[in-house]
Amino acid sequence: MNKYSITEFVKNTEQEDKGEGFFELETPRLLEVNLDGLVWAKAGSMVAYNGKIKFEREGILEHGIGAMFKKALTGEGAALMKANGQGKLYLADSGKKIIILYLQNEAIYVNGNDLLAFEPSINHNIKLMRKVAGMMAGGLFNVRCEGTGMIAITVHYEPLTLRVTPGKPIITDPNATVAWSGNLQPEFQTDVSLKTFIGRGSGESIQMRFEGDGFVIVQPYEEVYMQEKS
């Protein structure tokens, strides 16, 4: 058989059940959800499904008045949808690599733009970083995921996890920061000297500083979802 035939292509790329459970990486950039009930997912991330699945955008009052005001401040970046039913659901986000994490009564903060999906057993809460909101157009927000269950996050290319230990803080570029452990509370700092550089300077003059005991996940890509105010 010709290696370029349609039959060979279908054989090499067709869906395959791996028996991995609720979340399954069909490819490194495509998440399969074996749905029998409910899953939360990033709005607009559905690329295909089979079975009987109903999609519903997260209600503006679903998590109370406080959450409504946070959503108004953070815009559409943290928009979520519920998928409810039985079948196979396929999710992706701009071709980014997908990482599945199983939380065991743990908490993790995920950049609002990098949270792809999570089980209903996971509690989620949008956190607006108020200190940076005055410095950046649109501010910066993240989602705190806590409990027991699986979450799926997305990264550009290969992620790097940096350990934060007492007395040895980690400083990151906000546009390259994907997630961090739930016990860390980053502070924002500015480096005026970086503003003197042409091109990349304005974005890197604001940095996230992590102190304590935990970890930070970064990606080798600056996802520019926030710009410095002029």
Side-chain angles (χ1 to χ4, degrees):
M1 184 183 297
N2 191 306
K3 68 177 181 179
Y4 298 118
S5 69
I6 292 178
T7 301
E8 191 68 13
F9 174 80
V10 171
K11 177 184 175 182
N12 291 333
T13 60
E14 67 182 334
Q15 184 268 339
E16 177 185 357
D17 284 323
K18 300 182 177 72
E20 294 176 357
F22 186 65
F23 281 175
E24 187 173 300
L25 281 180
E26 192 61 36
T27 75
R29 292 169 175 79
L30 200 63
L31 178 70
E32 178 182 287
V33 184
N34 293 297
L35 192 60
D36 185 14
L38 173 70
V39 69
W40 286 95
K42 184 175 183 178
S45 63
M46 186 276 289
V47 296
Y49 71 92
N50 62 39
K52 294 184 178 181
I53 301 175
K54 180 182 178 183
F55 299 91
E56 182 181 354
R57 195 175 183 87
E58 183 180 23
I60 194 167
L61 291 175
E62 187 141 4
H63 301 287
I65 295 292
M68 179 188 74
F69 284 118
K70 288 178 186 177
K71 280 193 168 295
L73 288 168
T74 57
E76 291 299 307
L80 296 169
M81 66 179 182
K82 291 184 289 186
N84 205 338
Q86 289 80 37
K88 290 186 182 295
L89 171 63
Y90 299 93
L91 304 174
D93 185 15
S94 302
K96 294 161 69 177
K97 187 174 182 179
I98 298 169
I99 298 168
I100 298 172
L101 299 173
Y102 180 69
L103 304 186
Q104 301 181 68
N105 196 27
E106 296 167 294
I108 188 172
Y109 286 97
V110 183
N111 181 293
N113 198 45
D114 298 322
L115 182 61
L116 180 64
F118 54 92
E119 290 191 80
S121 58
I122 297 294
N123 295 317
H124 70 286
N125 188 20
I126 296 173
K127 302 281 187 180
L128 177 67
M129 295 185 176
R130 300 183 185 280
K131 290 185 178 180
V132 78
M135 296 184 284
M136 309 297 286
L140 181 65
F141 64 94
N142 56 71
V143 182
R144 180 181 170 89
C145 295
E146 186 171 11
T148 298
M150 286 191 289
I151 69 171
I153 65 177
T154 58
V155 297
H156 287 278
Y157 309 108
E158 302 299 324
L160 174 67
T161 299
L162 301 170
R163 290 301 307 263
V164 182
T165 56
K168 294 183 178 181
I170 295 292
I171 292 88
T172 67
D173 179 342
N175 291 311
T177 306
V178 175
W180 56 94
S181 47
N183 60 309
L184 297 181
Q185 296 291 334
E187 294 291 333
F188 284 85
Q189 65 184 34
T190 58
D191 190 329
V192 178
S193 65
L194 284 173
K195 291 186 177 182
T196 61
F197 290 97
I198 297 174
R200 297 163 61 88
S202 60
E204 292 182 340
S205 62
I206 295 178
Q207 304 160 344
M208 297 175 76
R209 181 184 180 93
F210 295 88
E211 292 192 76
D213 188 2
F215 64 86
V216 184
I217 303 171
V218 295
Q219 61 186 3
Y221 183 93
E222 293 180 74
E223 192 167 14
V224 184
Y225 48 84
M226 63 179 202
Q227 297 285 345
E228 186 177 2
K229 286 184 177 179
S230 57

